[in-house]
Amino acid sequence: MREAQEKHRGSVAGPAADPVVVTDRGLPDWLRPVADVASTVRARQLSRFLPPSDGGGRQSAVLVLFGEGAGSVGGGAGAGPELLLMERSSSLRSHAGQPSFPGGALDPEDGDPEGDGPLRAALREAEEETGLDPSGVQVFGRLPRVYIPVSGFVVTPVLGWWREPSPVAPVDPAETARVFTVPVADLADPANRATARHPSGYRGPCFLVSDALVWGFTAGIIDRILHFAGWERPWDTDRSVPLDWHA
């Protein structure tokens, strides 16, 4: 989420950047249900926190990137559909130490927040944080914008197919602690699911996968994708995981 950074390989952003192509052509059959979600789901079905009606909040985007696993990055196990995640540095001011999708705030050069801006921002931030080559990503949709009250971000989840995987790793350790992939099967496994409880009163879905506790906004989006794509399996919603004040 750097305010400004030299763009690696000049592949994404810039005032004169070409429009980002959004297409679901050529997607693997298993990813079709997610493409259908992008065309039908409403913001209120994703989160109870919606963007402020007065237009407030900082426009941002995350890349929800699906790949076909074949020996996952960063310790993931097995093949099959997977999601790319990263763990934020513990020194960051917001959401420190949390697993998350790559992403961050829109920069002016990303363009119109109502147009291609979120798409460019998601790809740019993924490149800056993980070293991902965005030319190998096929953007096939976006989900409605939702709001993160604790940080004031208005977030557009951008859906991508990792058509041509590239090496990924933390680019700046001060921002990204690690980059890893998680099999979708592990996320859907009831044994890896629970409800996170924060002392503030927050309760929400979480996932215990790849030596990480995925919770908050990221877990909420994953939970809804699993549900609406028909991948969700019955799980024990009474099983809870406590979070401390600093989580």
Side-chain angles (χ1 to χ4, degrees), residues 99-124:
S100 69
F101 301 118
L106 270 66
D107 283 349
E109 61 266 33
D110 293 323
D112 185 1
E114 302 298 327
D116 283 355
L119 309 182
R120 291 197 188 93
L123 293 170
R124 173 183 56 76

Side-chain angles (χ1 to χ4, degrees), residues 10 12-13 39 48 62-63 101 109 115 120 185 187 220 225:
V12 180
S39 64
R48 67 181 186 273
V62 296
L63 181 63
F101 301 118
E109 61 266 33
R120 291 197 188 93
L187 293 164
I225 289 175

Side-chain angles (χ1 to χ4, degrees), residues 174-216:
E175 183 170 351
T176 307
R178 66 169 172 143
V179 179
F180 60 103
T181 53
V182 179
V184 172
D186 288 358
L187 293 164
D189 187 342
N192 297 331
R193 304 207 56 180
T195 298
R197 292 185 296 103
H198 196 279
S200 65
Y202 167 86
R203 292 177 61 89
C206 66
F207 301 84
L208 297 94
V209 289
S210 298
D211 298 321
L213 174 62
V214 183
W215 68 284

Side-chain angles (χ1 to χ4, degrees), residues 79-160:
E82 62 186 12
L83 266 177
L84 179 69
L85 297 177
M86 52 173 272
E87 183 177 311
R88 294 168 55 79
S89 170
S90 60
S91 62
L92 293 175
R93 286 181 295 178
S94 62
H95 308 294
Q98 289 188 26
S100 69
F101 301 118
L106 270 66
D107 283 349
E109 61 266 33
D110 293 323
D112 185 1
E114 302 298 327
D116 283 355
L119 309 182
R120 291 197 188 93
L123 293 170
R124 173 183 56 76
E125 286 281 352
E127 187 177 13
E128 293 177 358
E129 292 173 334
T130 74
L132 172 80
D133 183 353
S135 68
V137 174
Q138 176 180 330
V139 175
F140 65 89
R142 69 174 96 186
L143 299 179
R145 285 179 289 195
V146 295
Y147 186 56
I148 305 180
V150 68
S151 57
F153 283 107
V154 175
V155 187
T156 300
V158 176
L159 302 174

